[in-house]
Amino acid sequence: MKKLINEPDAVVDEMLEGMVAAHPGLRRLEGTEVVVRADAPVEGKVGIVTGGGSGHEPTHAGYIGDGMLDGAAAGEVFTSPTADQLSEMIQACDGGEGVFCVVKNYEGDVMNFETAIEMAEMEADTDVEYVVVDDDVAVEDSLYTSGRRGVAGTIFVHKVAGAMAHRGADLAEIERVAEKANDRVGTMGTALTSCVTPEKGEPTFDLGEDEIELGIGIHGEPGTERTEVMSADEITDHLAEAVLEDLDPAEGAEVATIVNGMGGTPLMELYVVNRRLQELLEDRGLETWNARVGDYMTSLDMMGCSITVLELDDELKELLAAPAETPGLTVTEG
């Protein structure tokens, strides 16, 4: 497979170098795969941090900036960052008010974050709280998880936690809104092709020319069903109905949506999916307050998409509308 890389074992290091070179608001902690705000730690504000395996760009470091994250740790491709690096990140982002961690529900991520939090509390007396995001409605247990997986709904959790911290909220209030967003969000995805990791140089799973996988995970974990190729409307119906059945929003509710590309899907096709999604929501008596379409949490070069729906209230709308400026997401005032 053809890829724009040098050596497979250098790709994460070189990606981070390139990211920091492109965005002056970011800096890398020396000797680590941790990226933080250039002005971190921000005094008088709770630091918001996250981390996980590489290959999901712009997740994770792409959401560092005003109104969202203060730091993000990158593991090797599809591999959790080490506890040592996560602890360095937490301590580097503590401006005196503590640090809040957004953790996707994968066993390695959860275990390493829990260890890192203990290290930061012991070494630097840092106050730390965290949320474990588990928005994937497809499966209850998967290859790398106990319980539901954390996927593109995590972007909404980053946004509301970051906005709350920017307001000057304390750890308890940030935890409250992060848990609220996690409780109200659902996601389901599909793969038209496998992804190809730099190390293997070949597809990570087999999928026939006439097959797709419904309910796929962002690392290629098995989904709920492997079926013949379906139309965009049929795929959208399947994914959206599963998410809405899980959320069960009240008629008349306002929602925010993400049609997220997996890395190899043309934006044209994602807009076709969004067209059908918005029709379905209207038919259900739901009002879309905000709709995002693009690559927000990818799986390298996988062709496919996921659909995320967040049921809103006034507080969540205010936090989502608050200004943010990051490489991967910008929200302007007004």
Side-chain angles (χ1 to χ4, degrees), residues 273-304:
V273 171
N274 186 60
R275 161 197 156 273
R276 178 59 179 161
L277 173 61
Q278 302 308 325
E279 289 176 352
L280 284 172
L281 295 173
E282 185 175 356
D283 290 345
R284 282 284 199 109
L286 302 173
E287 181 178 343
T288 299
W289 176 79
N290 180 260
R292 293 192 173 274
V293 180
D295 286 355
Y296 292 93
M297 183 177 289
T298 61
S299 184
L300 292 170
D301 55 353
M302 181 186 288
M303 293 181 65

Side-chain angles (χ1 to χ4, degrees), residues 148-201:
R148 305 194 328 180
R149 302 175 292 218
V151 286
T154 309
I155 309 307
F156 284 135
V157 181
H158 291 332
K159 182 64 182 69
V160 301
M164 203 69 172
H166 188 74
R167 287 181 174 182
D170 62 17
L171 276 170
E173 277 293 280
I174 294 167
E175 182 179 20
R176 179 186 63 79
V177 296
E179 292 284 4
K180 180 199 283 191
N182 187 45
D183 289 345
R184 288 168 166 255
V185 69
T187 301
M188 187 167 173
T190 189
L192 310 184
T193 66
S194 172
C195 59
V196 177
T197 62
E199 295 86 353
K200 288 187 68 174

Side-chain angles (χ1 to χ4, degrees), residues 80-81 86 103-114 144:
S80 176
L86 292 170
V103 186
K104 298 189 305 303
N105 190 32
Y106 297 96
E107 289 176 352
D109 288 8
V110 173
M111 178 178 67
N112 288 350
F113 259 104
E114 288 178 343
Y144 306 117

Side-chain angles (χ1 to χ4, degrees), residues 14-269:
E14 292 178 353
M15 171 194 70
L16 294 177
E17 285 185 16
M19 178 179 285
V20 170
H23 301 288
L26 307 181
R27 67 180 171 90
R28 185 175 177 183
L29 298 186
E30 188 174 351
T32 75
E33 280 68 58
V34 174
V35 177
V36 299
R37 289 172 54 143
D39 59 351
V42 180
E43 296 297 324
K45 184 186 84 70
V46 172
I48 308 296
V49 302
T50 192
S54 297
H56 306 301
E57 291 72 31
T59 298
H60 303 78
Y63 299 115
I64 296 174
D66 278 339
M68 286 190 77
L69 301 177
D70 293 86
E76 294 302 315
V77 173
F78 296 172
T79 303
S80 176
T82 65
D84 286 343
Q85 299 224 0
L86 292 170
S87 179
E88 284 197 55
M89 171 186 66
I90 290 168
Q91 294 178 54
C93 294
D94 182 13
E97 299 299 322
V99 175
F100 187 79
C101 305
V102 180
V103 186
K104 298 189 305 303
N105 190 32
Y106 297 96
E107 289 176 352
D109 288 8
V110 173
M111 178 178 67
N112 288 350
F113 259 104
E114 288 178 343
T115 302
I117 289 168
E118 292 178 1
M119 293 169 63
E121 289 173 340
M122 287 189 299
E123 294 171 6
D125 199 27
T126 302
D127 292 329
V128 188
E129 297 294 344
Y130 68 100
V131 63
V132 177
V133 182
D134 57 354
D135 57 306
D136 192 341
V137 307
V139 292
E140 184 60 33
D141 295 296
S142 188
L143 203 56
Y144 306 117
T145 63
S146 296
R148 305 194 328 180
R149 302 175 292 218
V151 286
T154 309
I155 309 307
F156 284 135
V157 181
H158 291 332
K159 182 64 182 69
V160 301
M164 203 69 172
H166 188 74
R167 287 181 174 182
D170 62 17
L171 276 170
E173 277 293 280
I174 294 167
E175 182 179 20
R176 179 186 63 79
V177 296
E179 292 284 4
K180 180 199 283 191
N182 187 45
D183 289 345
R184 288 168 166 255
V185 69
T187 301
M188 187 167 173
T190 189
L192 310 184
T193 66
S194 172
C195 59
V196 177
T197 62
E199 295 86 353
K200 288 187 68 174
E202 59 186 36
T204 57
F205 62 93
D206 295 322
L207 197 58
E209 287 294 320
D210 60 347
E211 290 182 317
I212 62 172
E213 181 108 19
L214 299 168
I216 196 78
I218 56 173
H219 310 98
E221 306 97 313
T224 55
E225 182 182 357
R226 186 167 290 197
T227 184
E228 293 181 352
V229 173
M230 300 159 64
S231 71
D233 282 3
E234 290 171 330
I235 291 172
T236 306
D237 289 354
H238 185 97
L239 301 181
E241 291 296 342
V243 170
L244 293 173
E245 181 179 346
D246 182 85
L247 290 180
D248 193 26
E251 186 173 351
E254 290 183 287
V255 297
T257 63
I258 300 174
V259 173
N260 171 61
M262 292 295 195
T265 307
L267 192 56
M268 174 192 291
E269 297 175 22

